[in-house]
Amino acid sequence: MTTVYVDHDAIVEGARSASRPDEGSLRSLGFLLEAGHEVILVVEPGHEPRPAPIRDWATIGVGNVPLRPDHPSWYLTTEVDRCRGRSAHLRTVLIGLSPAAAAIHRCDTLARDVPAAVLEILAAEAMRP
């Protein structure tokens, strides 16, 4: 089993308003659950995850993702700075726009959205010996 940490902002349309989920993102995360992975939604301390139905199927993790998880894990984030300082056991995926060409890339990979990141995770897991 692989643990997949997902920033709350990555699954919400219009992260500024945090008003409604991206249905494609939720459906894609459901594929991870069906494949036997654990999905942990990462929320800031004191914030309530939206939408409420997420609480029915995802574990809610408050605060930070572990720097050195005990087993291979993934972290989907919208902030490049959150990729820094992670161990090889935690593969990081930057969701959304890629940083400028001259920027230092700290994330392991880039994906345009959560569904694309989920496809990458499933493909990588299928290729793992």
Side-chain angles (χ1 to χ4, degrees):
M1 176 180 73
T2 299
T3 302
V4 180
Y5 298 91
V6 183
D7 278 347
H8 181 257
D9 290 347
I11 63 166
V12 176
E13 289 179 350
R16 292 181 190 162
S17 66
S19 60
R20 60 187 181 133
D22 173 50
E23 293 299 324
S25 295
L26 295 178
R27 187 172 37 258
S28 295
L29 293 173
F31 296 147
L32 290 175
L33 293 169
E34 290 173 10
H37 302 301
E38 179 183 22
V39 176
I40 298 178
L41 185 67
V42 180
V43 297
E44 296 294 322
H47 288 88
E48 188 69 22
R50 294 181 198 165
I54 291 172
R55 291 187 291 260
D56 296 339
W57 55 265
T59 302
I60 306 300
V62 177
N64 296 325
V65 175
L67 292 175
R68 291 164 183 39
D70 295 335
H71 57 282
S73 303
W74 291 80
Y75 180 30
L76 310 182
T77 183
T78 56
E79 298 291 331
V80 70
D81 290 336
R82 294 180 186 162
C83 296
R84 185 176 42 194
R86 306 292 176 176
S87 78
H89 280 292
L90 184 68
R91 301 234 9 229
T92 57
V93 181
L94 181 63
I95 304 295
L97 298 176
S98 60
I104 296 172
H105 298 280
R106 295 180 179 105
C107 300
D108 295 313
T109 190
L110 306 171
R112 71 179 178 280
D113 53 20
V114 172
V118 167
L119 285 175
E120 179 159 340
I121 292 168
L122 292 172
E125 296 293 317
M127 300 299 287
R128 197 168 68 179

